[in-house]
Amino acid sequence: MENTKETKQYQVAEIQLIYKSNVKPSERPKISSSRDARDVFMGMWDNTKLELMEQFKVMLTNRANKVLGIFELSTGGVSGTVADPKLIFAAAIKGAACGIIMAHNHPSGNLQPSQADIDLTRKIKEGGKLLEIQLLDHIILTSEGYYSFADEGLI
């Protein structure tokens, strides 16, 4: 009687962690205030969408609060967009970020955070503690101003 061993072949995806930057560390903007963060976000925002549709972006920073990059998480409709915490942290981990600053716009022009905005901010702050990724701020943008959760003592 022959002894045959079956070898199963599995196909699995290879996962790679890659962070490439074409910006020299000395040329990266440093975030020292909510205004600095707002200015960097506004420089990267499509102004034609600011009053049209809600978008959500995440700024990644290193330990020195220098900007590693900005991840555009989602684009929604007039009154909302989806901000998936798993994707926020996936971007932060892939970029080896020490800190994150979230931003989204309110096409209505209303600077006040919704309860959903407040709940998401708390959730990301708590999740970041476990991963040692600090939520530095959450900014709401409009064409006429901005609201900073950090400045208002909500972070």
Side-chain angles (χ1 to χ4, degrees):
M1 183 176 270
E2 261 184 65
N3 187 3
T4 60
K5 279 189 173 178
E6 276 189 44
T7 304
K8 288 188 177 184
Q9 295 292 323
Y10 296 101
Q11 290 187 358
V12 295
E14 179 182 351
I15 297 173
Q16 297 179 351
L17 295 178
I18 298 171
Y19 169 75
K20 293 180 184 179
S21 176
N22 56 358
V23 179
K24 295 177 188 176
S26 61
E27 295 175 355
R28 294 176 184 155
K30 182 177 174 73
I31 304 300
S32 300
S33 67
S34 62
R35 177 163 293 288
D36 292 343
R38 178 231 177 240
D39 290 347
V40 172
F41 275 121
M42 289 301 283
M44 300 291 293
W45 219 277
D46 180 349
N47 286 331
T48 64
K49 295 180 180 175
L50 197 60
E51 294 181 13
L52 178 64
M53 60 185 61
E54 194 165 313
Q55 294 184 297
F56 199 101
K57 299 184 184 194
V58 180
M59 181 184 299
L60 310 178
T61 64
N62 65 13
R63 180 115 10 242
N65 283 347
K66 290 211 169 188
V67 178
L68 298 170
I70 294 178
F71 172 59
E72 186 171 317
L73 180 65
S74 65
T75 297
V78 173
S79 61
T81 192
V82 176
D84 187 333
K86 288 182 283 305
L87 292 176
I88 292 170
F89 286 118
I93 290 168
K94 188 168 184 172
C98 294
I100 58 174
I101 300 172
M102 304 185 303
H104 74 283
N105 62 311
H106 280 178
S108 67
N110 179 8
L111 284 172
Q112 293 305 306
S114 67
Q115 189 59 50
D117 295 338
I118 294 166
D119 293 345
L120 175 67
T121 302
R122 285 188 188 133
K123 185 183 288 188
I124 297 301
K125 181 180 177 182
E126 289 304 310
K129 287 179 184 177
L130 179 66
L131 298 169
E132 297 180 5
I133 299 171
Q134 185 178 5
L135 175 60
L136 302 171
D137 206 345
H138 182 177
I139 296 173
I140 299 171
L141 301 167
T142 69
S143 60
E144 296 184 326
Y146 73 98
Y147 178 96
S148 162
F149 280 68
D151 290 354
E152 298 298 323
L154 297 175
I155 290 186

